[in-house]
Amino acid sequence: MPLGDNLGDKSDSRYCGVETEFNDDMPHVLSYNINGGFDFVVAPLMEPGYRSSLINNASRESSVLPFAGSDLVLSPAQWSSHVVGKISSWIDLDSEDDVLREDSEIALKQELAWASHLSLQACLLPTPKGNSCANYARCVNQILQNLNNMQLWLRIPLVKSDDDDDSVNGTSDGMVVELTDSWELWNSFRELCEHHSQLSVALDVLSSLPSVNSLGRWFGEPVKAAIVHTDSFLTNARGYPCLSKRHQKLLSGFFYYSIQIVLSGKAVHKLPAESSPSGSGQTDNYAQQAQRHEIRSYLDYVGYLYQKMEPLPEQERFELGYRDFLQSPLQPLMDNLEAQTYETFEKDSVKYIQYQRAVSKALVDRIPDENASTTTVVLMVVGAGRGPLVRASLQAAEETGRKIKVYAVEKNPNAVVTLHSLVKLEDWENIVTIISCDMRCWEAPEKADILVSELLGSFGDNELSPECLDGAQRFLKPDGISIPSSYTSFIQPVTTSKLYNDVKLHKDLLHFETAYVVKLHRLAKLSPSQAVFTFTHPNYSANKSNQRYKMLRFEIPIETGSFIVHGFAGYFDAVLYKDVHLGIEPTTATPNMFSWFPIFFPLRSPVYVKAGSPLDFHIWRCCGNTKVWYEWCVTSPTASPIHNSNGRSYWVGL
């Protein structure tokens, strides 16, 4: 039974599981827990006392492995939808005891082979027993090479001590592991397994939590489940289980990032007796208490937290299908946009409201009130598309009582057809002149007071706004106004295992050297963004080169711990006119605007950064006769190759 209804949320986080002990009566295990309100069980597949070395050679061939029942005791749909296999927790593939190590390898392969036979969607692997896990990772990596679609969840305790002393921590399956920072254990294991996309994490959430910065790293990792032990719950004033404020916030994060909750352990709260009327009602109440799942009160509390979450805003619901979906950036000069693309952008009313505000302020500054009825402002919309900026400019003129004459310049002949229809429909023929021409080639009959454009890309300048506006600047009077007047790109390092694996699927250099437009979701932002390139218009400087270079040093708080960088997220912020701005940089982003998703610059090999070490990033904006491109690299703590040298993989055509 899902935890509840949350508007717009169709993710896996609606489903809650429960960790069970070994029981060879799987139908009973499943029915008891499903009827108790859980959606799936995390159940051992093999009798925990079984060891291969205890079976003598004579009986080995005829013996039947002590699995938890035949595959026939549940339907294929039940196995697939309601059971996550739990690999035996005694397994220790890096033990110094040869017999235990060999038994562990045999058991791991037997249990995962059985899970694959059952078509389970996932199996929970036990936590590595020590800091060395090379043999364990080797065996898992071998299995991953030939695995079906099953995910392997590596159980990792959510631990990071605040000092350099080793701390001893228990996982909720009773195993003891010495760890300072459990992320290091996970990172070592996944590096040994070559960042395999079917290897993910099940976090053991304990009663104490690491710092907020340390926790944030995990949201960029492939965490599929969070195992919350009943020992981690506090008791509220009414005697029922509840979680600390920090645990509540963490679970809200898990819900948001589609991470499933699994409850583990026995009931440790003695619940208050429910008041009920005397007589038969009391008997019924006792019967209900007897039938009720022993940890149902913990499940009810998790459900309460889920239902307490704010529903997704309308914009986020609209963007759900775009989350972490890699898109190649537009080639606005080389290609003509399609009607569907225009329509999507035109629906962004917030953007055009900002443009209208900017044009209104510019008109008022340009023409004093006493000259409003006698002076006509020449306004040019360069890259007019199907006319939304023309409409916004005319509305600004009406709002301010200014007279304007509009030139709408558009190179796409298909959009020009729509523009002509719009002008005729709105009766703008005496105000708007349509120019079907590339702005870089047009010879204007007169100079403009105001030049309006919407040529910005996700990184500000990545759709060639500087080149286009430098070319169109000749239309502008010496004291003319450009809207936008300036824009700045921003960048920050991120952990995003999801995007890294999606790029890696292509198995080529080209895709690792391409900057993607993407609605970022499953990622950890490791440091605040920093400004990269700024362009100002009109640009009257003597050196008009649009080539740029920037080196940025990111200092990450030491309490974050070590982390891995899969790439860099890019944004922009634009000043349209004076105090009117729009942008997508996270700290200043224009609310409810969806025309731009961030840009993502991937790294061919993830970069490991030790706690407290700085991260040095370099980026170049390069200009040729026919194209503009970016090159980027990391030089500290280790050097990466320079990506996209000479624009060999990704460029924007002039």
Side-chain angles (χ1 to χ4, degrees):
M1 183 193 307
L3 291 172
D5 291 321
N6 196 316
L7 187 61
D9 183 18
K10 302 297 181 188
S11 69
D12 289 344
S13 59
R14 294 178 296 156
Y15 304 111
C16 186
V18 59
E19 185 175 12
T20 68
E21 296 179 351
F22 178 80
N23 188 325
D24 58 8
D25 187 355
M26 278 302 294
H28 171 72
V29 171
L30 197 60
S31 65
Y32 171 68
N33 289 289
I34 298 296
N35 292 335
F38 291 95
D39 298 291
F40 63 94
V41 298
V42 180
L45 299 176
M46 185 178 280
E47 203 281 316
Y50 171 77
R51 303 289 187 277
S52 174
S53 59
L54 299 178
I55 309 297
N56 61 49
N57 290 331
S59 59
R60 183 164 294 171
E61 291 183 6
S62 60
S63 64
V64 176
L65 293 173
F67 289 127
S70 154
D71 53 352
L72 298 176
V73 298
L74 298 177
S75 70
Q78 287 176 309
W79 282 115
S80 178
S81 301
H82 298 296
V83 179
V84 170
K86 181 185 173 186
I87 305 304
S88 296
S89 56
W90 60 264
I91 283 176
D92 184 0
L93 284 105
D94 291 277
S95 170
E96 294 181 1
D97 182 328
D98 290 346
V99 175
L100 175 57
R101 188 172 65 250
E102 289 169 12
D103 278 353
S104 297
E105 182 167 345
I106 291 168
L108 177 69
K109 291 180 176 177
Q110 287 174 335
E111 292 181 38
L112 284 175
W114 179 244
S116 184
H117 171 72
L118 297 173
S119 298
L120 301 190
Q121 290 190 31
C123 266
L124 179 66
L125 302 177
T127 308
K129 299 298 185 288
N131 290 325
S132 173
C133 56
N135 192 49
Y136 187 4
R138 179 191 69 88
C139 293
V140 169
N141 200 34
Q142 282 183 346
I143 292 164
L144 284 166
Q145 305 311 308
N146 299 302
L147 198 61
N148 56 15
N149 295 324
M150 185 167 64
Q151 285 279 327
L152 300 185
W153 299 353
L154 184 66
R155 188 174 200 148
I156 298 289
L158 188 53
V159 169
K160 182 187 176 298
S161 62
D162 293 330
D163 51 43
D164 294 330
D165 298 330
D166 287 344
S167 54
V168 178
N169 297 278
T171 65
S172 63
D173 62 353
M175 306 310 297
V176 174
V177 184
E178 290 188 5
L179 289 172
T180 302
D181 183 359
S182 59
W183 180 90
E184 296 276 13
L185 179 61
W186 156 245
N187 188 55
S188 175
F189 198 97
R190 66 97 172 268
E191 290 270 11
L192 290 165
C193 292
E194 307 171 283
H195 294 258
H196 200 286
S197 60
Q198 288 172 258
L199 178 66
S200 47
V201 180
L203 284 176
D204 245 321
V205 180
L206 308 176
S207 54
S208 62
L209 294 176
S211 70
V212 173
N213 284 336
S214 174
L215 289 173
R217 296 174 298 174
W218 289 104
F219 293 124
E221 301 289 3
V223 180
K224 298 294 185 184
I227 303 169
V228 183
H229 199 272
T230 51
D231 286 345
S232 300
F233 285 77
L234 307 174
T235 307
N236 68 13
R238 295 176 56 224
Y240 286 91
C242 65
L243 288 169
S244 71
K245 294 288 186 187
R246 289 197 65 208
H247 280 82
Q248 290 178 42
K249 189 172 181 181
L250 179 62
L251 259 66
S252 294
F254 290 150
F255 294 143
Y256 181 72
Y257 289 109
S258 305
I259 296 167
Q260 294 181 304
I261 305 300
V262 176
L263 292 177
S264 175
K266 303 285 188 184
V268 292
H269 290 71
K270 185 173 176 59
L271 299 182
E274 296 287 343
S275 60
S276 63
S278 57
S280 61
Q282 192 169 6
T283 308
D284 291 344
N285 188 60
Y286 288 144
Q288 288 174 5
Q289 291 289 332
Q291 293 168 6
R292 186 176 166 86
H293 196 289
E294 65 166 334
I295 60 170
R296 179 60 192 252
S297 56
Y298 301 85
L299 173 63
D300 289 343
Y301 182 76
V302 172
Y304 159 73
L305 292 181
Y306 177 82
Q307 292 171 50
K308 197 173 74 165
M309 285 180 66
E310 289 290 325
L312 286 177
E314 185 179 355
Q315 181 187 345
E316 285 213 39
R317 294 202 300 274
F318 168 76
E319 294 170 350
L320 276 174
Y322 295 99
R323 281 180 174 178
D324 293 329
F325 178 73
L326 297 168
Q327 303 174 71
S328 296
L330 297 172
Q331 292 276 3
L333 293 190
M334 290 173 60
D335 304 330
N336 289 324
L337 299 184
E338 298 174 351
Q340 189 174 359
T341 307
Y342 281 120
E343 185 177 7
T344 300
F345 291 148
E346 289 162 6
K347 286 178 179 175
D348 194 345
S349 59
V350 172
K351 174 175 65 175
Y352 296 112
I353 288 169
Q354 292 297 89
Y355 266 99
Q356 184 176 328
R357 286 184 61 217
V359 174
S360 294
K361 285 177 178 273
L363 287 171
V364 169
D365 286 353
R366 194 75 180 169
I367 306 297
D369 287 345
E370 58 269 23
N371 298 337
S373 60
T374 58
T375 306
T376 300
V377 174
V378 177
L379 183 145
M380 292 182 182
V381 178
V382 290
R386 302 197 308 182
L389 280 185
V390 174
R391 184 185 296 278
S393 299
L394 291 171
Q395 287 173 340
E398 184 179 349
E399 177 185 285
T400 57
R402 267 52 177 181
K403 295 168 67 177
I404 67 171
K405 177 182 181 182
V406 177
Y407 288 93
V409 185
E410 175 54 50
K411 73 173 181 64
N412 182 352
N414 304 309
V416 168
V417 174
T418 310
L419 263 178
H420 277 290
S421 299
L422 178 68
V423 168
K424 188 173 182 180
L425 181 68
E426 298 287 352
D427 197 22
W428 292 340
E429 284 100 336
N430 297 327
I431 311 171
V432 179
T433 302
I434 298 170
I435 309 296
S436 181
C437 183
D438 189 318
M439 71 184 78
R440 296 170 296 175
C441 306
W442 181 49
E443 293 300 329
E446 58 183 319
K447 296 284 188 178
D449 296 284
I450 301 173
L451 190 69
V452 184
S453 64
E454 54 171 332
L455 305 168
L456 299 169
S458 298
F459 202 49
D461 57 81
N462 63 299
E463 293 186 10
L464 306 186
S465 180
E467 285 70 23
C468 293
L469 292 183
D470 284 352
Q473 186 174 303
R474 67 186 190 280
F475 309 147
L476 204 55
K477 292 177 182 177
D479 62 343
I481 297 168
S482 172
I483 298 175
S485 60
S486 69
Y487 39 91
T488 300
S489 50
F490 292 82
I491 210 158
Q492 69 181 155
V494 294
T495 297
T496 171
S497 182
K498 167 76 167 67
L499 295 185
Y500 172 76
N501 277 313
D502 285 352
V503 177
K504 192 174 75 166
L505 277 175
H506 294 282
K507 300 180 179 178
D508 62 18
L509 177 66
L510 183 147
H511 286 83
F512 271 115
E513 295 191 335
T514 296
Y516 297 93
V517 172
V518 58
K519 170 62 180 172
L520 298 170
H521 182 60
R522 278 302 298 267
L523 87 164
K525 297 175 180 177
L526 301 166
S527 176
S529 67
Q530 295 187 29
V532 189
F533 308 134
T534 297
F535 292 88
T536 303
H537 302 287
N539 177 15
Y540 292 119
S541 63
N543 176 22
K544 285 196 177 181
S545 171
N546 288 321
Q547 296 211 140
R548 298 284 192 277
Y549 163 63
K550 188 85 168 185
M551 192 281 275
L552 298 169
R553 168 160 287 192
F554 295 95
E555 305 275 1
I556 287 83
I558 194 164
E559 66 266 21
T560 300
S562 303
F563 56 88
I564 201 162
V565 180
H566 291 110
F568 292 80
Y571 318 93
F572 80 92
D573 188 79
V575 176
L576 294 181
Y577 183 69
K578 291 191 172 177
D579 63 341
V580 183
H581 94 107
L582 59 77
I584 60 170
E585 195 282 320
T587 60
T588 60
T590 308
N592 303 316
M593 188 175 66
F594 56 81
S595 284
W596 295 276
F597 292 150
I599 200 164
F600 174 62
F601 294 90
L603 292 173
R604 283 154 58 182
S605 297
V607 172
Y608 169 81
V609 183
K610 194 163 180 59
S613 298
L615 174 68
D616 290 346
F617 176 69
H618 302 251
I619 185 166
W620 296 261
R621 188 182 196 267
C622 307
C623 303
N625 292 328
T626 59
K627 64 183 183 181
V628 173
W629 69 96
Y630 300 99
E631 299 180 13
W632 63 94
C633 73
V634 168
T635 55
S636 176
T638 56
S640 74
I642 293 176
H643 291 58
N644 197 35
S645 181
N646 207 33
R648 64 189 171 195
S649 300
Y650 157 67
W651 71 92
V652 187
L654 286 165

